Amino acid sequence: MVVTYADVAKRAGTSTAVVSYVLNDGPRNVAPATRERVLTAAAELGYRQNRIARALRSGRTGLVGVLTPDATIPYFGELTRAIVRALGDADRFALVSHAAVSGRSERQAIEALLSAQVDGLLITAFWPDQELPVEIDVPVVYVHHKPDGVEGLLVESDNTHSVRAAVEHLRSHGHGAPAFWAGPDDVGPTGERTRAWAALVGDDGTLYRSGYSSGEAAAEFRRQHRLGTPARSLVVASDVQALGILSAAYQLGVRIPDDLAVISLDGSAETAFTAPPLTVVRQPVESMAARAVGLLTGRPDAGESLGSLIVRTSCGCDHDV
């Protein structure tokens, strides 16, 4: 049996108009006690909102497109999950597209999400600077990174704060200026982290670069080892690179942290289970997600997004697993 507004109104002892105001979140306010009666009646009757009908009435679908490059990358997986939870808390439904996994470009993925009549977009993926983005005609908030020259708000972590926390902690172990392991270029947040490190250590630090996969980082670490240019302490821009470095160090007999102290700057959950467990600056994915959803839904949060140092073993500290 299909449950209607009239059924809910009869159970709640109110009018169908009031039921509509409650279930469609407006356009008029309803007293809290009446609202609670309507919601209770709807739940007892098993009322299910017709999203298509609601969209026709309000001009909104309640759908928000979420674009991420690849959820198998731990950091982006955690960020995407945090965004989906935050959207659920805001009574929105996430329509998630993984551009890299689907084989589509970011442009194609955005076009597909827009064709689904989403009310807005939350984008964590980014495209090369030379590729022009598709024209977006709904509200959009970028999370983690916003390409140059595009419209939209950005919610990001304070990368300078994260780098400073890592550098100061390694210096507290008496290592001097730590080296930095960056990406192949200085685009986006990794570039911000690289520049923050350079400003802190000046000419005293060594900069290494590799691609963002664990395999590329491991290969470059082995090459640097053959060249005889080992660092004593190292800040790594991403967890995926750090995993490759730990693997190559183990194969080469480089002891972590005795020979090389390491801190990674993403802080995904998997880093607690490496050998040894990685000291990290955990990025505030939950607060970033909440701020992004707030901006998209008109409930902005002015709080800062600061990473937090999580001390384990790879930096040289004692750590009880």
Side-chain angles (χ1 to χ4, degrees):
M1 183 182 81
V2 176
V3 179
T4 66
Y5 279 7
D7 298 322
V8 176
K10 182 177 179 181
R11 173 68 68 93
T14 187
S15 68
T16 56
V18 169
V19 171
S20 175
Y21 299 154
V22 172
L23 298 181
N24 291 296
D25 197 24
R28 294 185 181 179
N29 293 326
V30 176
T34 303
R35 179 181 180 83
E36 185 61 31
R37 289 207 317 273
V38 170
L39 292 175
T40 299
E44 291 173 349
L45 292 171
Y47 175 79
R48 180 172 295 173
Q49 183 74 276
N50 185 323
R51 189 172 294 275
I52 295 175
R54 179 178 178 178
L56 290 173
R57 288 192 300 270
S58 67
R60 296 178 298 169
T61 62
L63 297 173
V64 174
V66 179
L67 179 63
T68 186
D70 188 345
T72 63
I73 300 172
Y75 170 77
F76 284 108
E78 292 185 11
L79 180 58
T80 301
R81 288 193 293 273
I83 289 172
V84 171
R85 284 194 296 269
L87 285 170
D89 291 342
D91 195 28
R92 301 296 193 276
F93 188 82
L95 191 59
V96 181
S97 178
H98 306 285
V101 176
S102 68
R104 290 175 169 174
S105 67
E106 284 85 355
R107 173 194 291 271
Q108 292 171 321
I110 290 172
E111 288 175 339
L113 290 170
L114 291 175
S115 70
Q117 302 299 306
V118 294
D119 295 331
L121 290 173
L122 293 169
I123 298 177
T124 67
F126 58 92
W127 45 84
D129 289 342
Q130 67 270 18
E131 182 182 342
L132 295 175
V134 65
E135 183 177 348
I136 299 174
D137 57 1
V138 298
V140 57
V141 176
Y142 293 87
V143 190
H144 173 72
H145 170 62
K146 183 167 76 76
D148 293 336
V150 302
E151 297 295 329
L153 299 171
L154 170 64
V155 173
E156 61 181 339
S157 175
D158 186 330
N159 289 296
T160 298
H161 170 85
S162 296
V163 173
R164 182 181 296 112
V167 168
E168 290 179 353
H169 187 75
L170 288 172
R171 279 177 165 163
S172 74
H173 284 278
H175 297 318
F180 190 82
W181 197 284
D185 53 45
D186 289 334
V187 174
T190 299
E192 293 178 8
R193 295 173 183 180
T194 305
R195 290 186 288 274
W197 164 83
L200 286 169
V201 304
D203 297 329
D204 295 332
T206 302
L207 178 64
Y208 302 107
R209 291 187 183 275
S210 76
Y212 288 110
S213 71
S214 296
E216 290 170 305
E220 180 60 19
F221 187 89
R222 288 190 291 267
R223 190 179 79 86
Q224 292 295 336
H225 189 267
R226 289 194 301 270
L227 294 173
T229 57
R232 181 62 190 89
S233 64
L234 180 63
V235 179
V236 186
S238 73
D239 291 346
V240 175
Q241 292 169 309
L243 295 178
I245 290 167
L246 291 186
S247 176
Y250 173 78
Q251 294 168 354
L252 295 168
V254 176
R255 298 171 301 168
I256 309 289
D258 299 333
D259 301 325
L260 175 64
V262 179
I263 295 180
S264 182
L265 293 182
D266 283 339
S268 52
E270 287 84 350
T271 56
F273 303 100
T274 58
L278 265 171
T279 294
V280 298
V281 179
R282 174 169 173 76
Q283 298 307 305
V285 293
E286 290 82 8
S287 64
M288 290 167 64
R291 287 185 62 205
V293 171
L295 286 170
L296 196 72
T297 57
R299 299 178 177 89
D301 175 5
E304 292 182 299
S305 295
L306 300 177
S308 54
L309 180 70
I310 300 178
V311 175
R312 299 188 182 119
T313 308
S314 68
C315 63
C317 289
D318 293 331
H319 169 66
D320 294 328
V321 179

Short mmCIF file of all heavy atoms in Angstrom, two decimals, residues 11 143 146:
data_model
loop_
_atom_site.label_atom_id
_atom_site.label_comp_id
_atom_site.label_asym_id
_atom_site.label_seq_id
_atom_site.Cartn_x
_atom_site.Cartn_y
_atom_site.Cartn_z
N ARG A 11 -2.77 10.38 10.85
CA ARG A 11 -2.11 9.77 12.01
C ARG A 11 -1.54 10.84 12.95
O ARG A 11 -1.59 10.69 14.17
CB ARG A 11 -0.99 8.84 11.52
CG ARG A 11 -0.10 8.25 12.62
CD ARG A 11 -0.86 7.26 13.50
NE ARG A 11 -1.22 6.07 12.76
CZ ARG A 11 -0.48 4.95 12.71
NH1 ARG A 11 0.64 4.89 13.40
NH2 ARG A 11 -0.88 3.91 12.02
N VAL A 143 37.29 20.22 -2.62
CA VAL A 143 37.82 19.74 -1.35
C VAL A 143 39.23 19.20 -1.60
O VAL A 143 39.43 18.39 -2.50
CB VAL A 143 36.94 18.64 -0.75
CG1 VAL A 143 37.36 18.34 0.69
CG2 VAL A 143 35.46 19.01 -0.80
N LYS A 146 41.84 22.87 -5.60
CA LYS A 146 41.07 23.52 -6.67
C LYS A 146 42.03 23.94 -7.77
O LYS A 146 42.99 24.67 -7.52
CB LYS A 146 40.32 24.75 -6.13
CG LYS A 146 39.45 25.44 -7.19
CD LYS A 146 38.49 26.43 -6.54
CE LYS A 146 39.18 27.71 -6.11
NZ LYS A 146 39.48 28.59 -7.26
#
